[in-house]
Amino acid sequence: MAREFAKKFYKSKEWLECRAFVVTRDKGLCQECLKKGKYTPGEEVHHIIWLKPTNINDPNITLNPNNLELVCKDCHFAIHKTARHVLNKRLPSISNGTYFDDMGNLQKVKIYIVYGPPAGGKTTYVKEHMEYGDMVVDLDSIKQSLSLCYDKEQPDNLTDIAKDIRDLLYVKIRNKEVNARNIWVIATLPRRKERQSLRQDLDAKMVFIDTDIDECIANAMNDKKRKDKSSQIELINNWFGSYEQ
């Protein structure tokens, strides 16, 4: 399944034409199976250099036939599973909030607080900018994990325990006990003092998702997971009524 940042690309005319060319060029056969002497129908066109937010607008990566091959679903899954396993092994060990990158340079763990109105696109922003192995702290996601309510709104009775877990994660971040190169904190934080306090506590960079109220309401109305539309609109109105720049 395409990630958020790539969905528009995979629907483009340019990609569909390029995909059709690769299917024809590879004679409809899985190129990985051919290496093993097997003739298996190809089903998916694979980017050898994976697509990322940093290269999604580079046609030398996205539309380059030399970077594309036709594969079957089993081979495509195996390629990504193996690559993720290798990548996971290569992730650097974090010590006291620092790590050595692939070039041997000392780097500091980056912490971002992504804040803004409800239904404003905070989670989408993080998904489009995070890397494999990054840590994400989000109250809604914690509640989802506690309740297994991934496709519907989370029950309110778990809010307090979810906040306790979130606060414990804040302690781990502050104490530099998280083995991740980037840490993303998703929160609404309408009050200036609360934002500044959390930024200083975590030594984080602030990222404001500046979405207007009409777009937030439209997003909430179109989100099938947000069942109680009236309460969502109330949350949005309350955020804009209390937001302090």
Side-chain angles (χ1 to χ4, degrees), residues 115-125 138 140 186-188 209-226 228-229 231-237 239-240:
Y115 73 101
K122 300 181 294 296
T123 301
T124 298
Y125 176 90
D138 174 48
D140 286 340
I186 301 175
T188 54
I209 305 301
D210 189 8
T211 308
D212 65 42
I213 187 170
D214 291 334
E215 186 175 352
C216 290
I217 291 175
N219 291 340
M221 296 299 290
N222 292 326
D223 189 346
K224 294 180 180 180
K225 294 181 181 180
R226 301 173 190 264
D228 189 346
K229 303 301 184 183
S231 67
Q232 288 297 315
I233 293 174
E234 182 179 0
L235 285 172
I236 293 169
N237 284 326
W239 187 93
F240 278 94

Side-chain angles (χ1 to χ4, degrees), residues 82-180:
T82 301
R84 287 193 179 99
H85 178 68
V86 171
L87 180 59
N88 186 45
K89 283 193 168 185
R90 290 180 178 174
L91 287 176
S93 178
I94 308 299
S95 177
N96 196 31
T98 61
Y99 65 94
F100 288 98
D101 63 18
D102 294 338
M103 302 299 293
N105 299 312
L106 188 65
Q107 302 287 349
K108 181 181 178 181
V109 171
K110 296 180 177 63
I111 304 168
Y112 303 92
I113 297 174
V114 181
Y115 73 101
K122 300 181 294 296
T123 301
T124 298
Y125 176 90
V126 171
K127 287 181 177 179
E128 291 178 351
H129 289 81
M130 68 182 294
E131 300 175 1
Y132 182 72
D134 285 0
M135 176 180 174
V136 179
V137 181
D138 174 48
L139 187 63
D140 286 340
S141 296
I142 294 172
K143 290 169 67 176
Q144 287 175 349
S145 297
L146 291 173
S147 64
L148 294 183
C149 293
Y150 294 103
D151 58 349
K152 52 189 174 183
E153 292 185 22
Q154 302 84 43
D156 290 336
N157 63 299
L158 297 175
T159 298
D160 288 342
I161 188 66
K163 287 181 177 179
D164 290 341
I165 294 171
R166 181 197 60 187
D167 292 344
L168 175 61
L169 294 176
Y170 286 167
V171 172
K172 293 288 187 179
I173 295 170
R174 184 176 65 244
N175 293 340
K176 299 180 173 59
E177 297 175 354
V178 178
N179 188 21

